[in-house]
Amino acid sequence: MEKIMLNFNNMGVAQSEIAGIGDKIADAVKAMGDKRSKMAWRDLPYNQDAVVCDILEYAEEMLPKIKSLVVLGIGGSALGPIALQQALRSQFYNLHNQFRDDFPQLFVLDNIDPATMLDLLAVIDPETTLFSVVSKSGATSETMAQFMIVKGLLERELGAEKARRHIVCTTDAENGNLIKIARTEGYKTFYIPSGVGGRFSQLCPVGLLPAAFTGVDIKALLAGAADMDKMCQNADYMANPACAFAILHYLAMKQGKNITVMMPYTDKLKFMADWFAQLWGESLGKEGMGQTPVKALGTTDQHSQVQLYVDGPDDKIVVFLGVEDLDVYLQIPEDFTDMPSIGFLGGNTLDELLQASQKATEYALTKAGRANMTITLPVIDEHTMGQLFYMLEVATAFAGELMGINAFDQPGVEEGKNAVYRHFGRPGY
Amino acid sequence: MEKIMLNFNNMGVAQSEIAGIGDKIADAVKAMGDKRSKMAWRDLPYNQDAVVCDILEYAEEMLPKIKSLVVLGIGGSALGPIALQQALRSQFYNLHNQFRDDFPQLFVLDNIDPATMLDLLAVIDPETTLFSVVSKSGATSETMAQFMIVKGLLERELGAEKARRHIVCTTDAENGNLIKIARTEGYKTFYIPSGVGGRFSQLCPVGLLPAAFTGVDIKALLAGAADMDKMCQNADYMANPACAFAILHYLAMKQGKNITVMMPYTDKLKFMADWFAQLWGESLGKEGMGQTPVKALGTTDQHSQVQLYVDGPDDKIVVFLGVEDLDVYLQIPEDFTDMPSIGFLGGNTLDELLQASQKATEYALTKAGRANMTITLPVIDEHTMGQLFYMLEVATAFAGELMGINAFDQPGVEEGKNAVYRHFGRPGY
């Protein structure tokens, strides 16, 4: 199977800098080993045979009955599913069945804008819609508010008995209100294993369920993650993609580079940058430390952000996501050969223009002394996407060890949550 | 007419700090006055009566004939049109005609991913599609490559004579290849006035044409901008929204805050953050200076980025975009009253939850000593959007004056362009 590759020649890091934190790296490697049993997300590539069967059986049962899948979830419950679907399916998936092959439309409601929700509810047909409610704690205000609205709507339109077959819950198996409600109401349920936090949940049912419902091969996704897990055990840490990614980011942070830009050069990977922004930002942004993730897209942002990246402050890393073979060719006709500024385009393909633009941006940044690295996927498929998700998760955990912080909590959001509870008069707040 | 409001109480800036740069501010105010005649984009609210007529007449002629408008453009040619359409039309505009009222679907191809373009060309019908080609220089490789592909397709499918009525060009009136081609081929044309650069072009035909084709009242948009222009002439510069925005950002940059986050609390304004990211990043990111714009969305990013903003490094400003009256109400049913963690939601509306969440995030940031300001739109309509676009443009120009840089060029992107030309063997490179 083909493996994703990291190229960090343009990071401008000397071997001596890496050697200089050798002890810290060794400690982090040891800690990642010692704590592996506590990082339940690391085992997801291996221990889900029964879960995968359950999801595939449920999909087989439901798919003939539905035309829309609406995910109610926010944060990791939304970002991973969106990123994966965008990577593997057409950008116009929802718009035309020819890109869906009769799989349902996928809507992810990861905000509580009332206009968006009302408009969506106006155009889906409850009879042919499955609502997937995703909240580990069962107390995520946004998701639970949406669930309450949907439950009311379904019960009104379909009656309570039928309504319950249009709701599936993915939540903790033991704790929280959502599992209680699901048991009382008799909803189909999938579980988020304990030890798997929201932003590390893409390879559990949170990500697998919507993937299976949109025609993604979830076994291949997990197999890709398992292959990456092996690569992430390479003791030569600069040949270990997760370690190298973490170490180079850590060194950059120490140099004051407080921004990391993820810049895919294909529409398909645009939302990987959103998924990564949560993973990196929420895991490592604490105790006054952390790096602000920025989402960019090539070539689009060459006309928006590259001026800043090349000529602005030297305060960031750019991580390019490239694809060796996009497998789609669209030729630019030979025309306007008398006009030098555009005639040179003729005869080439958009793919070549995209690839050349990525190389040119790498070159321009490097020439300006700006740190950049490139992650290259040989192709975009389930197997490489599984590798990419898993690699970035391990890299984030590893960076947490280097920084000496807990990458798995999010204490900084409590203040805001409490303020909302107080506003609404939740008892005890 | 209702006016947008700025609240900067949470910026943590002392009056003395502002007084301390009083001379610099006075110089910037003077420069903005002296250079006004060179900033042609400042006059767009006033000098386009004929242009508006032309656009409306053209729309009246074409709208009955088309079902899709495809914009070929990148950077400012794409970001403004997307931001405005998302603000004023349903998030599901393209998906269902009930949100379009028979206006055409709008597709903005601002990247050259061949899969996206092929998929789009597979589902639109050339007979009922208008392609709007936007490039001031007529030499934007991405846009011109797409144009060449589309021209070939239309001529093959419809014949050369009919094809030319499916292409409209927005470009410089005198210079560049696109105007030459348009004249030779007999395409309908609109002009980008000289002195109006890409990122300052939303209020000229670049933004007005797609707006008019999607049912937006472009006269009201320009009237809003004119109203803002008056507010931006207030000599009390902290009561002048553009000056205040620029001054507070400038002071923050001087304190080392190299990041500015724009965080709207409604899906409708999500893409304003993308438009602003180009405006601020490309205008001010030069000579080693500048601030990296980050796009966020409330409440979504409370579950992704707010941990970092509250608890990570104190290196950023958060600019909230709020809306006083979203004008859409969706009530959460009273249910689960025996479950305190979710029962408190019942009886409230999603609108209230969204507004309370914004206030809570402002509070949490402020409590953690993190600078934030809020721009509030009384409602989202053409008039307030015109104000918002214009205010941020003037603020950017003003910030350029404070920083002592030219906000209107982009020298840092030449290196990358040249590398692409060399790769493709463009003569002379």
Side-chain angles (χ1 to χ4, degrees):
Chain A
M1 289 297 223
E2 297 193 277
K3 291 182 172 37
I4 68 175
M5 291 155 289
L6 230 72
N7 180 328
F8 39 84
N9 293 335
N10 298 342
M11 282 297 290
V13 172
Q15 198 55 43
S16 59
E17 287 178 79
I18 298 168
I21 57 163
D23 289 350
K24 202 176 255 296
I25 294 170
D27 289 350
V29 169
K30 183 169 183 307
M32 287 291 286
D34 292 350
K35 294 181 190 169
R36 174 151 185 151
S37 65
K38 287 185 198 151
M39 297 182 195
W41 52 273
R42 291 213 61 172
D43 296 325
L44 295 173
Y46 306 108
N47 62 5
Q48 293 191 101
D49 287 353
V51 175
V52 166
C53 269
D54 191 9
I55 289 173
L56 294 179
E57 275 176 27
Y58 181 61
E60 201 179 328
E61 176 203 336
M62 294 303 293
L63 283 175
K65 300 178 191 167
I66 64 168
K67 291 186 179 158
S68 316
L69 174 68
V70 178
V71 174
L72 308 179
I74 196 165
S77 309
L79 297 167
I82 293 169
L84 186 62
Q85 195 243 5
Q86 293 280 324
L88 297 178
R89 309 297 260 146
S90 169
Q91 305 307 297
F92 303 101
Y93 175 88
N94 270 358
L95 206 58
H96 283 277
N97 188 47
Q98 78 176 80
F99 303 121
R100 284 199 302 276
D101 305 321
D102 292 321
F103 282 98
Q105 291 177 311
L106 175 68
F107 299 100
V108 180
L109 278 188
D110 67 348
N111 200 2
I112 48 170
D113 191 310
T116 307
M117 187 156 185
L118 262 182
D119 284 357
L120 179 61
L121 295 179
V123 293
I124 52 111
D125 177 357
E127 285 273 4
T128 55
T129 301
L130 177 65
F131 292 90
S132 171
V133 189
V134 188
S135 169
K136 188 170 187 198
S137 68
T140 313
S141 292
E142 292 93 336
T143 303
M144 295 308 284
Q146 290 172 325
F147 161 65
M148 288 159 78
I149 290 167
V150 161
K151 175 172 180 280
L153 172 90
L154 288 173
E155 290 176 354
R156 261 192 331 273
E157 302 253 326
L158 307 179
E161 184 49 43
K162 231 176 127 184
R164 67 182 45 125
R165 294 197 299 273
H166 291 258
I167 295 174
V168 51
C169 298
T170 303
T171 185
D172 191 274
E174 308 283 340
N175 301 308
N177 287 317
L178 189 52
I179 187 64
K180 275 191 219 132
I181 295 168
R183 295 217 167 112
T184 307
E185 299 285 340
Y187 299 148
K188 174 72 183 168
T189 50
F190 292 95
Y191 302 123
I192 306 174
S194 58
V196 175
R199 53 191 182 269
F200 290 85
S201 67
Q202 170 58 11
L203 299 172
C204 86
V206 169
L208 300 180
L209 184 72
F213 272 75
T214 50
V216 170
D217 179 348
I218 59 176
K219 289 180 183 172
L221 183 76
L222 293 171
D227 276 2
M228 179 52 68
D229 185 30
K230 280 172 203 73
M231 289 185 253
C232 292
Q233 286 165 35
N234 192 333
D236 173 3
Y237 45 74
M238 293 312 281
N240 173 327
C243 288
F245 186 97
I247 290 166
L248 293 167
H249 272 78
Y250 175 74
L251 285 171
M253 278 187 245
K254 289 215 326 171
Q255 291 163 3
K257 293 193 170 69
N258 63 337
I259 297 167
T260 182
V261 178
M262 182 167 277
M263 189 167 187
Y265 263 78
T266 162
D267 293 342
K268 290 178 184 290
L269 296 178
K270 178 176 180 183
F271 290 91
M272 273 309 285
D274 285 69
W275 175 80
F276 176 70
Q278 185 206 16
L279 181 70
W280 197 254
E282 201 168 46
S283 299
L284 305 177
K286 50 196 69 156
E287 300 177 31
M289 293 182 282
Q291 220 176 11
T292 298
V294 170
K295 314 165 230 179
L297 177 67
T299 66
T300 307
D301 282 314
Q302 290 179 205
H303 299 262
S304 167
Q305 300 302 302
V306 166
Q307 163 66 37
L308 169 72
Y309 300 167
V310 167
D311 200 21
D314 186 12
D315 55 6
K316 53 178 69 71
I317 304 172
V318 179
V319 178
F320 294 101
L321 295 185
V323 184
E324 213 166 48
D325 183 1
L326 277 173
D327 199 27
V328 174
Y329 307 97
L330 185 51
Q331 197 173 33
I332 307 165
E334 307 223 22
D335 203 347
F336 310 120
T337 44
D338 57 327
M339 296 180 171
S341 74
I342 56 175
F344 75 94
L345 293 164
N348 298 294
T349 65
L350 282 194
D351 171 58
E352 287 170 306
L353 183 56
L354 193 61
Q355 302 273 6
S357 300
Q358 181 188 331
K359 293 275 171 293
T361 304
E362 290 173 12
Y363 168 78
L365 282 170
T366 306
K367 194 167 172 202
R370 305 309 163 95
N372 63 95
M373 65 167 81
T374 302
I375 300 173
T376 305
L377 284 68
V379 295
I380 299 183
D381 62 16
E382 283 86 344
H383 191 261
T384 57
M385 289 301 294
Q387 292 177 50
L388 187 57
F389 280 116
Y390 198 85
M391 190 274 267
L392 293 169
E393 288 178 357
V394 177
T396 302
F398 195 92
E401 290 300 331
L402 289 172
M403 294 166 68
I405 58 168
N406 177 0
F408 305 105
D409 64 357
Q410 49 281 336
V413 299
E414 293 309 314
E415 196 71 61
K417 279 188 195 173
N418 293 343
V420 169
Y421 296 152
R422 278 197 299 277
H423 176 90
F424 284 110
R426 176 176 164 187
Y429 284 84
Chain B
M1 288 299 224
E2 298 193 277
K3 291 182 171 35
I4 68 175
M5 291 155 290
L6 230 72
N7 180 327
F8 39 84
N9 293 335
N10 298 341
M11 282 298 290
V13 172
Q15 198 56 44
S16 60
E17 288 178 78
I18 297 168
I21 57 164
D23 290 349
K24 202 175 257 295
I25 295 170
D27 289 349
V29 169
K30 183 168 182 308
M32 287 290 287
D34 293 349
K35 295 181 189 170
R36 175 153 183 149
S37 65
K38 288 185 198 150
M39 297 182 194
W41 52 271
R42 292 213 61 172
D43 295 326
L44 295 173
Y46 306 108
N47 62 6
Q48 293 191 101
D49 287 354
V51 175
V52 166
C53 269
D54 191 9
I55 289 172
L56 295 178
E57 275 176 27
Y58 181 60
E60 201 179 329
E61 177 204 335
M62 293 304 293
L63 283 174
K65 301 179 191 166
I66 63 167
K67 291 187 178 156
S68 316
L69 175 68
V70 178
V71 174
L72 307 179
I74 196 165
S77 308
L79 297 167
I82 293 169
L84 186 63
Q85 195 243 5
Q86 293 280 322
L88 297 177
R89 309 297 261 149
S90 169
Q91 306 306 299
F92 302 101
Y93 175 88
N94 271 357
L95 206 58
H96 283 276
N97 187 45
Q98 79 175 82
F99 303 121
R100 283 199 304 275
D101 305 320
D102 293 322
F103 282 99
Q105 290 177 311
L106 174 68
F107 300 100
V108 180
L109 277 187
D110 67 347
N111 200 2
I112 47 169
D113 191 310
T116 306
M117 187 155 185
L118 261 183
D119 284 356
L120 179 62
L121 295 179
V123 294
I124 51 112
D125 177 358
E127 285 273 3
T128 56
T129 300
L130 177 64
F131 291 90
S132 171
V133 189
V134 189
S135 169
K136 188 170 186 198
S137 68
T140 313
S141 292
E142 292 92 336
T143 303
M144 295 309 284
Q146 290 172 325
F147 161 65
M148 288 159 78
I149 291 168
V150 161
K151 177 172 178 280
L153 172 90
L154 288 173
E155 291 177 353
R156 258 193 331 272
E157 302 253 325
L158 307 178
E161 183 50 42
K162 232 175 127 185
R164 66 180 46 121
R165 295 198 298 276
H166 291 259
I167 294 175
V168 51
C169 298
T170 302
T171 185
D172 191 273
E174 308 284 341
N175 302 309
N177 287 318
L178 189 53
I179 188 64
K180 276 193 219 133
I181 296 168
R183 294 215 169 116
T184 307
E185 299 286 338
Y187 299 147
K188 173 73 182 167
T189 51
F190 292 95
Y191 303 124
I192 306 174
S194 58
V196 175
R199 54 190 182 269
F200 290 85
S201 68
Q202 171 58 11
L203 298 172
C204 86
V206 169
L208 300 180
L209 183 72
F213 272 76
T214 50
V216 170
D217 179 349
I218 59 176
K219 289 179 183 173
L221 183 76
L222 293 171
D227 276 3
M228 179 52 69
D229 185 31
K230 280 172 202 73
M231 289 186 253
C232 292
Q233 286 164 35
N234 193 334
D236 173 3
Y237 45 75
M238 293 311 283
N240 174 327
C243 288
F245 186 96
I247 290 165
L248 292 167
H249 272 78
Y250 174 75
L251 285 171
M253 278 186 245
K254 289 215 325 172
Q255 292 162 4
K257 293 192 169 70
N258 62 337
I259 297 167
T260 182
V261 178
M262 182 166 277
M263 188 168 187
Y265 263 79
T266 161
D267 293 342
K268 289 178 185 291
L269 297 178
K270 178 175 179 183
F271 291 91
M272 274 307 285
D274 284 70
W275 175 80
F276 176 70
Q278 185 206 15
L279 182 68
W280 198 253
E282 202 167 47
S283 298
L284 306 177
K286 51 196 68 156
E287 299 178 30
M289 291 183 284
Q291 221 176 10
T292 297
V294 170
K295 315 164 227 179
L297 178 67
T299 66
T300 308
D301 282 315
Q302 290 178 208
H303 299 263
S304 167
Q305 300 303 301
V306 167
Q307 162 67 36
L308 168 73
Y309 301 167
V310 168
D311 200 20
D314 185 12
D315 55 7
K316 54 178 68 71
I317 305 171
V318 179
V319 179
F320 294 100
L321 295 186
V323 184
E324 212 164 50
D325 183 1
L326 277 172
D327 199 28
V328 174
Y329 307 97
L330 184 51
Q331 197 173 33
I332 307 165
E334 307 224 21
D335 202 348
F336 310 120
T337 45
D338 57 329
M339 296 180 173
S341 74
I342 57 175
F344 74 95
L345 293 163
N348 298 293
T349 65
L350 282 194
D351 171 58
E352 288 170 304
L353 184 56
L354 192 60
Q355 302 272 5
S357 299
Q358 181 187 333
K359 294 273 170 294
T361 304
E362 290 173 12
Y363 168 79
L365 282 171
T366 306
K367 196 168 171 201
R370 304 307 163 98
N372 62 95
M373 66 167 81
T374 302
I375 300 173
T376 304
L377 283 69
V379 295
I380 298 183
D381 62 15
E382 284 87 344
H383 192 261
T384 56
M385 288 301 294
Q387 292 177 52
L388 186 57
F389 280 116
Y390 198 85
M391 190 276 265
L392 293 170
E393 287 177 358
V394 178
T396 303
F398 196 92
E401 290 300 331
L402 289 172
M403 294 166 69
I405 57 168
N406 177 1
F408 305 106
D409 63 357
Q410 48 282 335
V413 299
E414 295 308 314
E415 196 72 61
K417 279 188 195 174
N418 293 345
V420 169
Y421 297 152
R422 278 196 299 276
H423 175 90
F424 284 110
R426 178 177 162 186
Y429 285 84

